[in-house]
Amino acid sequence: MDTSVWVAIAGLFLLSTAAAAYEIAPASVAPTIMGDLGIGQARAGWLVSVMYAVAVATSIPVGAALDRTDLLRAVAAAAVALLVAGVWGWVAATRGDYLGLVVSRMLGGLAYVTVWNAGANLAGRAVPPRHQATAVGVFTASAPAGFALGQLGGPLIAGAAGWPAILPAFGVLAVAGIALFWWAVGGRAAGAGEVEPPTRAEFRRVFATRPVWVICGMGFAAFSLYLFLNSWLPAFFEARLGLSLAATGLVVAVFPAVGVVARTGGGVLSDRLFDGRRRPVALASFALSVPVVVALAFVGTVVPALALLVVAGATIQLGIGLLYAYVREVVDPSVRGTAVSLLTSVGLLGALVAPVGAGWLIELTGTYELAFFAAGVVGVGGGALALVAPEPGS
C-alpha cells in the first residue's frame, strides 16, 4: 500500500490529537482558571463539558451534511474553525470574559465533532477493506493521545505563556495536521463524487437499521465505562489508597494512555487474526473488561490497582476504535457519515450520563462499590449486544 496513505492518516491523527488536547486542556489548569476568572468548580467544569454537549447535539446533523459534501474541504474548514475558536478563547480569557470563553468552546466543540466524524470516514476510505479496521483504529487512538497531550502539555504552556495560551496553541497544531494530510493526498477532493449523495429514504433507513443501533448500544456501553473510570478513579484511589492527588493523577493517567495501543490493536486483531470479523473483538472487549472493572472496587494497594488499571484501559478501549469501522460496514456507502455520527452521538451520551449517574450512586450509598457494580452491569449489556451483533455483509 502506498506510503502516502499512511502519511495522510498520520495527518488526520495529528489533527484529531490536537482537537482532543484542546478539548481537555482547561481541566489540566482548572485551579488557575478558577482563580483568574473568579469562578467555581461547576463553571470551570463546563468549559470541558460544553464541548461534549455540543457534540451530542450536533453530531447527527454534521454527519448528514458530511454525506453530501467534500470531506477534505469539510475537515480543513473544521481545522481552521478550531484555530479560530482557540484565538477567540484566548482573547476572551485575557479579558476575563467567561461567557465569551464558553461560546468559543462551543465553536470548538462543533469543529471537533466534524473532525472526528469526517476523520473516521476518511481513514476508512483511504485503505482497502481488509485494512479498514486497522486504519480507523489508528485514527481513533488520537483521542487518548490528545487527552494525554492536553493534560501534560497544558500546564507547561500555561507556565511559559499563561493559561489562555493553551487554547490557540493546540489550534495551531490542528492546522499543521490538516496541512500534512492535504499534502499527502495532493489536495484531491476526498469523498465528493465517490458515491451519490443519499436520498431521504436512504438517510431515514439508517435510523431503522437494527445493526446500526446494536453497534451504537455497544458504543454507549463502552464510552460509559471509559468516562466512568476516567471521572471517578482519581477520587476513588485518593480515598481508598490514601494517595496524594498528584500521585493519583499520575497513576490514573495510565488508563487513557494504554488506549493509544489498544484502540489500534483492536483493528489489527480484527483485520488480521479474525480475517475481518468484528464481533469476536467487540465481545472480547466487554467479556474481559467487566470483571476487571468490578474487581477495581475491592482493590486496596497500589500495585494491584495499577495492574487492574492497565488491563481495564486496554480491554475497554480495545473495541472503541473497531466500532467506528464496524458501523460504516453495515450501511450503504452513501450514508456512512450519518452512521458514524449517530455512533458518536450515542457514545458521547453515555460519556455524559455515566459520570453523573455514578456520582448519584456514590452520594446515595456513601461508597463506591455500587457504582462499580452498576458499571459492570452496563458492560454486561454491551457484551449481550455484541453476542447478537451481525458481521458486516451477513
Side-chain angles (χ1 to χ4, degrees), residues 18 79 82-83 87 167-178:
L82 199 66
L83 178 59
V87 173
L167 303 170
F170 295 119
V172 171
L173 186 62
V175 172
I178 194 60

Side-chain angles (χ1 to χ4, degrees), residues 214-228:
V214 170
I215 295 168
C216 287
M218 288 191 286
F220 181 93
F223 276 100
S224 294
L225 292 176
Y226 179 67
L227 264 296
F228 160 64

Side-chain angles (χ1 to χ4, degrees), residues 256-286:
V258 298
V260 177
V261 176
R263 295 193 189 199
T264 303
V268 172
L269 286 173
S270 177
D271 281 341
R272 299 188 180 183
L273 183 62
F274 294 104
D275 196 27
R277 288 180 293 137
R278 311 307 188 201
R279 184 168 56 189
V281 177
L283 182 58
S285 174
F286 289 110

Side-chain angles (χ1 to χ4, degrees), residues 277-370:
R277 288 180 293 137
R278 311 307 188 201
R279 184 168 56 189
V281 177
L283 182 58
S285 174
F286 289 110
L288 295 172
S289 62
V290 167
V292 177
V293 169
V294 174
L296 273 168
F298 303 98
V299 73
T301 56
V302 173
V303 173
L306 186 58
L308 290 174
L309 196 61
V310 170
V311 176
T315 54
I316 290 171
Q317 296 181 83
L318 187 69
I320 287 179
L322 179 69
L323 295 179
Y324 280 89
Y326 201 167
V327 79
R328 296 180 75 253
E329 296 169 326
V330 298
V331 296
D332 293 332
S334 62
V335 289
R336 283 175 173 168
T338 301
V340 166
S341 298
L342 181 59
L343 173 59
T344 298
S345 185
V346 175
L348 290 182
L349 181 61
L352 278 173
V353 169
V356 176
W360 179 78
L361 288 175
I362 293 166
E363 287 186 2
L364 180 68
T365 63
T367 64
Y368 288 88
E369 282 78 4
L370 184 58

Side-chain angles (χ1 to χ4, degrees), residues 38-368:
I39 58 176
Q41 291 179 330
R43 295 179 76 191
W46 188 239
L47 294 176
V48 174
S49 298
V50 70
M51 292 190 62
Y52 279 104
V54 168
V56 171
T58 63
S59 182
I60 294 174
V62 164
L66 291 174
D67 280 330
R68 293 165 172 79
T69 191
D70 177 347
L71 290 180
L72 176 54
R73 289 178 172 79
V75 79
V80 173
L82 199 66
L83 178 59
V84 170
V87 173
W88 181 2
W90 173 72
V91 171
T94 54
R95 293 177 176 175
D97 179 8
Y98 173 78
L99 180 59
L101 180 56
V102 170
V103 175
S104 76
R105 299 283 290 172
M106 293 175 71
L107 174 61
L110 180 60
Y112 187 20
V113 78
T114 303
V115 166
W116 183 258
N117 291 335
N121 263 305
L122 285 167
R125 288 184 178 185
V127 298
R130 67 182 183 277
H131 297 305
Q132 184 178 153
T134 300
V136 176
V138 169
F139 171 76
T140 61
S142 61
F147 271 36
L149 177 62
Q151 292 281 18
L152 294 174
L156 296 177
I157 295 170
W163 73 263
I166 65 176
L167 303 170
F170 295 119
V172 171
L173 186 62
V175 172
I178 194 60
L180 177 61
F181 175 75
W182 193 288
W183 172 80
V185 301
R188 296 188 303 272
E194 291 185 14
V195 293
E196 290 295 321
T199 64
R200 290 184 179 180
E202 288 171 330
F203 174 75
R204 289 195 298 267
R205 196 177 304 133
V206 174
F207 299 90
T209 302
R210 177 176 171 271
V212 170
W213 286 108
V214 170
I215 295 168
C216 287
M218 288 191 286
F220 181 93
F223 276 100
S224 294
L225 292 176
Y226 179 67
L227 264 296
F228 160 64
L229 293 181
N230 255 327
S231 301
W232 285 104
L233 277 180
F236 172 70
F237 281 168
E238 186 181 20
R240 180 63 60 85
L241 305 180
L243 297 177
S244 68
L245 195 58
T248 297
L250 186 61
V251 171
V252 174
V254 173
F255 180 74
V258 298
V260 177
V261 176
R263 295 193 189 199
T264 303
V268 172
L269 286 173
S270 177
D271 281 341
R272 299 188 180 183
L273 183 62
F274 294 104
D275 196 27
R277 288 180 293 137
R278 311 307 188 201
R279 184 168 56 189
V281 177
L283 182 58
S285 174
F286 289 110
L288 295 172
S289 62
V290 167
V292 177
V293 169
V294 174
L296 273 168
F298 303 98
V299 73
T301 56
V302 173
V303 173
L306 186 58
L308 290 174
L309 196 61
V310 170
V311 176
T315 54
I316 290 171
Q317 296 181 83
L318 187 69
I320 287 179
L322 179 69
L323 295 179
Y324 280 89
Y326 201 167
V327 79
R328 296 180 75 253
E329 296 169 326
V330 298
V331 296
D332 293 332
S334 62
V335 289
R336 283 175 173 168
T338 301
V340 166
S341 298
L342 181 59
L343 173 59
T344 298
S345 185
V346 175
L348 290 182
L349 181 61
L352 278 173
V353 169
V356 176
W360 179 78
L361 288 175
I362 293 166
E363 287 186 2
L364 180 68
T365 63
T367 64
Y368 288 88

